[in-house]
Amino acid sequence: METDQRRLRSLKGLKWSKYGSDVIPAWVADMDFAPSPDVVSAVQEMVDLGDFGYRFHDADQLIPAWCDWVGNSHGWRPPDDECQVFTSSMQALEAVMVLHSQPGDGVVLFSPIYMPFRTAIEQAGRRVIDVQLEAPNWVFDGERFRDALDPKTRVVLFCQPHNPTGHIYTQEEIDDFAEVVEEHDLLVVSDEIWADLTFSGSRHLSLSSSNEKLRDRTVTVGSASKAFNLAGARCCVAHMGPAEVRSELQKYPDHYFGIPSSFGSAVTVAAWTAGKPWLQKAKEQIEWNRDYIHRRIIEESSGLTMRLPEATYLAWMDFSDTALSDNPSKELLDRARIALEPGEKFGDQCGSFARMNFATSMDIVETLVDRIFETLNS
Ligand SMILES: Cc1ncc(COP(=O)(O)O)c(C=O)c1O
């Protein structure tokens, strides 16, 4: 995969522009790979034609393109007429959460978790019900989930595969989860935007298709933003499993939620219809990187540990038994000039963790790992 450092340093995206040129950024979840040629041609064609007017050609294809992609990749095809387009995964998640709850109602998340989930609940005036997952395996605990619920809990925000741990919840965990969801009549928003980034030997299990009890209770959120590195496209498709959510959404006028731009739609449709070979190469590189990081951590035996993720391109590193346990990402930024995400952003219990994005070249991964161990050993 091409990762020209000069190109990376001149990008205006958050990842490479936030820190100075001596810092290697491995924080926000963008990849460093040059995009798929099919994605580039989709937008190039619009530029060449100067085709910047009302153009809904690709926006109209978003739903069938996603449904086909999910059908071919994950073994269930969401019905087109139960899907809706949004301008980001977070928009879909927030819209459904707000429609299906009242201020003061409880909304569950399982921490550590992608930090905007918590902000979304708080900003909407809902109550965060934080069901903490436990190190080192971060598996789902049905009893803990059940005990945390009260009669005013309405919605669960789920993330499969899970950011930041890279865990794919197993069939057994999903079945336990479904029991409690049914018992308490909850609506599930399942953010599955990492579904395409699984490693060999692991398979994404979509909640909606993995358990009958969840089918009509789950909103599944999909996007090309992670697998194809298209966060700038502002584009998302969601399957509305519950009929009442579909009819609630239909009460809103056409432009209320907005639709993605022609640019975002064009690149997203190109990714889902022609991007598979590029994705395969990206996954091979990411898997090599994951195995390299994991191997180095074992070989160095410095106290640093990392659970081998089944999906994503995120290394969820535990510095508890190292000299950097107090605030690893700050220490590593100050001393090693590498930018990781602080663990505490994902959960109160994770102050000794840091999340490292490894969707980059072998060279950069090696440098990141070298700098971590140099700091740990100094
Ligand atoms: C689990 C998860 N959900 C949502 C998002 C944000 O997606 P979007 O930019 O489409 O809102 C991210 C970004 O990394 C993520 O990891």
Side-chain angles (χ1 to χ4, degrees), residues 28-30 87-91 93 113-114 116-117 158-163 191-194 221-223 225-226 231-232 234-236 313-314 355:
V28 70
D30 274 336
T87 60
S88 74
S89 316
M90 287 308 298
Q91 188 197 28
L93 178 146
I113 189 64
Y114 176 62
F117 280 25
F158 205 82
C159 185
Q160 165 85 326
H162 185 253
N163 172 5
D191 178 335
E192 304 193 1
I193 72 170
W194 290 94
V221 177
S223 168
S225 64
K226 295 300 119 186
R234 313 316 295 147
C235 203
C236 157
Y313 47 72
L314 308 169
R355 192 193 78 176

Side-chain angles (χ1 to χ4, degrees), residues 116-239:
F117 280 25
R118 182 181 296 273
T119 321
I121 302 172
E122 288 170 353
Q123 286 182 343
R126 273 61 176 169
R127 221 167 3 102
V128 177
I129 300 193
D130 182 351
V131 183
Q132 293 197 343
L133 304 169
E134 263 182 36
N137 290 320
W138 313 103
V139 294
F140 172 78
D141 180 336
E143 279 315 303
R144 190 176 281 198
F145 178 34
R146 188 177 275 112
D147 289 349
L149 301 175
D150 59 47
K152 288 192 76 188
T153 309
R154 306 276 290 139
V155 180
V156 188
L157 305 183
F158 205 82
C159 185
Q160 165 85 326
H162 185 253
N163 172 5
T165 65
H167 178 48
I168 301 180
Y169 293 95
T170 61
Q171 186 64 51
E172 204 185 338
E173 288 174 285
I174 294 173
D175 293 345
D176 286 353
F177 173 73
E179 286 292 320
V180 186
V181 164
E182 190 185 46
E183 228 171 82
H184 288 262
D185 192 21
L186 301 171
L187 175 93
V188 181
V189 183
S190 185
D191 178 335
E192 304 193 1
I193 72 170
W194 290 94
D196 301 311
L197 290 167
T198 49
F199 295 111
S200 8
S202 297
R203 194 165 70 87
H204 171 65
L205 291 177
S206 190
L207 286 203
S208 188
S209 62
S210 297
N211 186 299
E212 287 269 317
K213 293 177 181 149
L214 294 175
R215 188 159 306 161
D216 297 333
R217 298 181 173 278
T218 301
V219 169
T220 306
V221 177
S223 168
S225 64
K226 295 300 119 186
F228 292 96
N229 204 28
L230 296 175
R234 313 316 295 147
C235 203
C236 157
V237 183
H239 170 243

